[in-house]
Amino acid sequence: MTRTSLNGLEGLSHDMERVFDSLLGRTVGTVLRPDGAAPKFSPALDVAETDASFEVIVDLPGVDPDGVTVEMQEGKLMVSGERPVPESEKGFHRMERPAGKFCRMLALPNDVDVDNIEARYELGVLSVTIPKLAKVQPKKIEIRRG
């Protein structure tokens, strides 16, 4: 299998975990996991569109923005990083807050301005603004005589 197809399968796995957690509740979903651990961290994201740009909003509570990477690869926006596992000498009875490394990939249309993408991080929310390329308008060509 190629790396791309593995990333797709991992994404499908994350999506299935979310479905089980939402349908069965985190407690039952956690019990169904082989190691009983909290789910892997896969941050939720929203994608909005205006006439001028796309905006990707990613919830990253508890994630240090210095450890987040935003990059474009082969027409895909990739946001990756890590949410640390809480270190404590306490014996946890329940761990529902997911932690660990994450990577979210989002395919983008061809008409985006990759050179002018901007990212900002505030209060645990990453916002990535992806401007669209200016559309080429039809131009009437004058026909000269002679």
Side-chain angles (χ1 to χ4, degrees):
M1 277 188 177
T2 65
R3 181 168 173 80
T4 303
S5 63
L6 287 176
N7 285 340
L9 290 175
E10 185 175 344
L12 179 62
S13 172
H14 289 293
D15 291 342
M16 291 302 294
E17 285 182 14
R18 283 187 182 180
V19 168
F20 278 116
D21 285 342
S22 66
L23 291 176
L24 303 174
R26 288 216 182 260
T27 304
V28 176
T30 301
V31 169
L32 294 176
R33 287 182 186 47
D35 58 0
K40 290 170 93 178
F41 182 45
S42 182
L45 64 81
D46 295 334
V47 180
E49 180 179 5
T50 67
D51 290 339
S53 66
F54 293 95
E55 186 171 13
V56 178
I57 302 112
V58 187
D59 285 342
L60 296 174
V63 177
D64 182 353
D66 292 335
V68 175
T69 302
V70 179
E71 55 190 353
M72 284 292 299
Q73 292 184 6
E74 300 175 3
K76 295 182 181 124
L77 178 73
M78 184 171 78
V79 178
S80 60
E82 184 172 4
R83 179 197 241 174
V85 176
E87 293 185 26
S88 174
E89 294 183 17
K90 301 174 188 170
F92 283 97
H93 290 275
R94 171 182 272 171
M95 289 187 73
E96 294 183 358
R97 296 177 304 137
K101 292 183 180 182
F102 65 88
C103 180
R104 295 296 312 262
M105 293 185 95
L106 182 66
L108 296 174
N110 293 331
D111 65 342
V112 297
D113 186 356
V114 176
D115 295 327
N116 290 305
I117 295 175
E118 294 181 357
R120 66 185 180 284
Y121 187 96
E122 186 177 349
L123 300 173
V125 178
L126 174 70
S127 297
V128 182
T129 303
I130 307 154
K132 294 179 181 178
L133 291 172
K135 293 189 188 246
V136 177
Q137 299 296 324
K139 179 180 178 185
K140 185 174 180 177
I141 309 297
E142 182 182 339
I143 300 173
R144 296 187 305 187
R145 296 181 184 231

